[in-house]
Amino acid sequence: LSKIGVDPFSKTLSIDYLRNVFKKKYKNIKNALLDQKIIAGIGNIYASEILFEAKVHPLRNVNTLSKEELNIIIKSSRLILNKSIKVGGTTIKDHIQPDGNLGYFKQKLKVYGRENHKCTVCNKKIRNILISGRSTYCCVSCQQ
Protein backbone atom coordinates (compact mmCIF):
# COMPACT_ATOMS: atom_id res chain seq x y z
CA LEU A 1 0.00 0.00 0.00
CA SER A 2 2.92 2.34 0.54
CA LYS A 3 3.46 2.50 -3.23
CA ILE A 4 -0.12 3.48 -4.07
CA GLY A 5 -0.62 7.08 -5.12
CA VAL A 6 -2.97 9.62 -3.61
CA ASP A 7 -6.73 9.23 -3.58
CA PRO A 8 -8.29 11.47 -6.26
CA PHE A 9 -10.65 12.96 -3.65
CA SER A 10 -8.00 13.73 -1.04
CA LYS A 11 -6.60 17.20 -0.39
CA THR A 12 -3.17 15.71 -1.09
CA LEU A 13 -4.03 15.71 -4.79
CA SER A 14 -3.08 19.30 -5.54
CA ILE A 15 -1.29 21.35 -8.16
CA ASP A 16 1.85 21.37 -6.01
CA TYR A 17 1.71 17.59 -5.58
CA LEU A 18 1.41 17.01 -9.34
CA ARG A 19 4.09 19.55 -10.23
CA ASN A 20 6.46 17.89 -7.77
CA VAL A 21 5.73 14.40 -9.10
CA PHE A 22 5.86 15.49 -12.75
CA LYS A 23 8.97 17.67 -12.61
CA LYS A 24 11.30 14.73 -13.32
CA LYS A 25 8.93 12.71 -15.48
CA TYR A 26 8.91 12.50 -19.25
CA LYS A 27 5.61 10.80 -19.90
CA ASN A 28 2.31 11.74 -21.42
CA ILE A 29 -0.60 12.76 -19.22
CA LYS A 30 -2.66 9.68 -20.16
CA ASN A 31 0.00 7.33 -18.82
CA ALA A 32 0.49 9.56 -15.78
CA LEU A 33 -3.21 9.33 -14.93
CA LEU A 34 -3.08 5.55 -15.26
CA ASP A 35 0.02 5.31 -13.06
CA GLN A 36 -1.36 4.01 -9.76
CA LYS A 37 1.80 5.22 -7.99
CA ILE A 38 0.77 8.81 -8.75
CA ILE A 39 -3.02 8.78 -8.40
CA ALA A 40 -4.89 5.69 -7.23
CA GLY A 41 -7.97 4.34 -8.93
CA ILE A 42 -8.07 5.99 -12.34
CA GLY A 43 -8.54 3.42 -15.08
CA ASN A 44 -8.42 3.62 -18.85
CA ILE A 45 -12.04 4.65 -19.42
CA TYR A 46 -11.92 7.39 -16.82
CA ALA A 47 -8.56 8.72 -18.06
CA SER A 48 -10.03 9.35 -21.53
CA GLU A 49 -13.12 10.98 -20.06
CA ILE A 50 -11.11 13.12 -17.62
CA LEU A 51 -8.82 14.43 -20.35
CA PHE A 52 -11.77 15.21 -22.62
CA GLU A 53 -13.46 17.11 -19.80
CA ALA A 54 -10.19 18.97 -19.12
CA LYS A 55 -9.64 19.65 -22.84
CA VAL A 56 -6.12 18.22 -22.65
CA HIS A 57 -4.71 15.98 -25.37
CA PRO A 58 -3.70 12.58 -23.92
CA LEU A 59 -0.23 12.70 -25.53
CA ARG A 60 0.72 16.00 -23.87
CA ASN A 61 3.89 15.64 -21.85
CA VAL A 62 3.28 16.26 -18.16
CA ASN A 63 6.13 18.79 -18.16
CA THR A 64 4.20 21.05 -20.57
CA LEU A 65 1.08 21.38 -18.41
CA SER A 66 0.44 24.74 -16.76
CA LYS A 67 -0.79 25.17 -13.20
CA GLU A 68 -4.22 26.04 -14.61
CA GLU A 69 -4.30 22.86 -16.71
CA LEU A 70 -3.24 20.75 -13.72
CA ASN A 71 -6.01 22.33 -11.66
CA ILE A 72 -8.55 21.56 -14.40
CA ILE A 73 -7.32 17.94 -14.58
CA ILE A 74 -7.76 17.58 -10.80
CA LYS A 75 -11.27 19.07 -10.95
CA SER A 76 -12.18 16.97 -13.99
CA SER A 77 -10.93 13.80 -12.25
CA ARG A 78 -13.18 14.43 -9.28
CA LEU A 79 -16.13 15.41 -11.48
CA ILE A 80 -15.94 12.34 -13.73
CA LEU A 81 -15.35 9.92 -10.85
CA ASN A 82 -18.22 11.44 -8.83
CA LYS A 83 -20.59 11.18 -11.80
CA SER A 84 -19.62 7.54 -12.27
CA ILE A 85 -20.01 6.70 -8.58
CA LYS A 86 -23.49 8.24 -8.53
CA VAL A 87 -24.69 5.87 -11.26
CA GLY A 88 -22.90 2.76 -10.03
CA GLY A 89 -19.76 2.82 -12.16
CA THR A 90 -19.23 1.82 -15.76
CA THR A 91 -20.50 -1.48 -17.10
CA ILE A 92 -18.87 -2.09 -20.48
CA LYS A 93 -19.19 -5.87 -20.73
CA ASP A 94 -20.06 -7.87 -17.64
CA HIS A 95 -19.21 -5.77 -14.57
CA ILE A 96 -21.87 -6.05 -11.84
CA GLN A 97 -22.03 -4.12 -8.57
CA PRO A 98 -21.98 -6.11 -5.29
CA ASP A 99 -25.75 -5.61 -5.05
CA GLY A 100 -26.23 -7.17 -8.51
CA ASN A 101 -26.91 -3.90 -10.34
CA LEU A 102 -25.09 -2.72 -13.43
CA GLY A 103 -23.14 0.53 -13.56
CA TYR A 104 -24.80 3.09 -15.82
CA PHE A 105 -21.97 5.57 -16.46
CA LYS A 106 -21.46 3.99 -19.91
CA GLN A 107 -24.49 5.94 -21.13
CA LYS A 108 -22.77 9.18 -20.06
CA LEU A 109 -19.40 8.56 -21.75
CA LYS A 110 -18.48 11.42 -24.07
CA VAL A 111 -15.43 9.94 -25.82
CA TYR A 112 -14.58 6.43 -24.64
CA GLY A 113 -15.74 3.83 -27.15
CA ARG A 114 -17.12 6.52 -29.47
CA GLU A 115 -14.55 6.33 -32.28
CA ASN A 116 -15.84 8.01 -35.47
CA HIS A 117 -18.89 9.39 -33.65
CA LYS A 118 -19.36 13.15 -33.55
CA CYS A 119 -17.88 15.03 -30.63
CA THR A 120 -20.61 16.34 -28.33
CA VAL A 121 -18.89 19.75 -28.32
CA CYS A 122 -17.57 20.47 -31.83
CA ASN A 123 -19.15 17.75 -34.04
CA LYS A 124 -15.75 16.54 -35.33
CA LYS A 125 -15.04 12.80 -35.21
CA ILE A 126 -13.76 11.18 -32.03
CA ARG A 127 -10.45 9.40 -32.64
CA ASN A 128 -9.01 6.26 -31.10
CA ILE A 129 -5.26 6.32 -30.65
CA LEU A 130 -3.14 3.64 -29.01
CA ILE A 131 -1.01 4.80 -26.10
CA SER A 132 1.11 2.08 -24.51
CA GLY A 133 -1.15 -0.50 -26.14
CA ARG A 134 -4.33 0.98 -24.61
CA SER A 135 -7.19 2.47 -26.58
CA THR A 136 -7.42 6.17 -25.92
CA TYR A 137 -10.33 8.18 -27.21
CA CYS A 138 -10.12 11.91 -27.82
CA CYS A 139 -11.30 14.82 -29.89
CA VAL A 140 -8.22 16.32 -31.51
CA SER A 141 -10.14 19.54 -32.09
CA CYS A 142 -11.27 20.08 -28.48
CA GLN A 143 -8.22 18.58 -26.76
CA GLN A 144 -4.94 20.43 -27.25
Side-chain angles (χ1 to χ4, degrees), residues 10 16-17 20 22 37 45 51 59 66 74-75 90 129:
S10 76
D16 289 337
Y17 168 78
N20 187 50
F22 292 163
K37 293 176 185 173
I45 295 169
L51 292 172
L59 287 173
S66 68
I74 292 167
K75 288 180 179 182
T90 307
I129 56 176

Side-chain angles (χ1 to χ4, degrees), residues 19-61:
R19 290 189 85 194
N20 187 50
V21 170
F22 292 163
K23 70 182 174 186
K24 294 180 183 177
K25 298 231 184 272
Y26 296 96
K27 63 171 39 179
N28 62 63
I29 187 60
K30 168 74 183 306
N31 283 338
L33 286 177
L34 292 175
D35 187 339
Q36 301 299 301
K37 293 176 185 173
I38 299 172
I39 304 172
I42 295 178
N44 195 44
I45 295 169
Y46 298 121
S48 286
E49 294 296 312
I50 288 164
L51 292 172
F52 177 75
E53 181 71 29
K55 296 181 175 30
V56 174
H57 195 281
L59 287 173
R60 283 276 303 277
N61 188 298

Side-chain angles (χ1 to χ4, degrees), residues 70-143:
L70 291 173
N71 189 44
I72 292 168
I73 289 168
I74 292 167
K75 288 180 179 182
S76 296
S77 297
R78 292 173 178 153
L79 175 75
I80 295 298
L81 293 172
N82 267 323
K83 284 182 177 182
S84 179
I85 290 166
K86 285 181 182 176
V87 295
T90 307
T91 298
I92 297 295
K93 292 183 182 173
D94 57 4
H95 171 76
I96 297 176
Q97 298 294 313
D99 63 4
N101 290 321
L102 300 175
Y104 292 99
F105 192 63
K106 180 181 180 186
Q107 287 79 9
K108 299 188 182 294
L109 297 175
K110 293 183 179 175
V111 290
Y112 189 87
R114 299 193 67 238
E115 181 179 14
N116 293 321
H117 286 82
K118 288 183 179 181
C119 172
T120 58
V121 175
C122 73
N123 288 324
K124 302 245 168 121
K125 286 186 178 181
I126 301 295
R127 302 281 179 227
N128 178 11
I129 56 176
L130 285 180
I131 299 176
S132 300
R134 306 287 306 264
S135 287
T136 303
Y137 298 88
C138 66
C139 174
V140 294
S141 178
C142 291
Q143 295 173 260

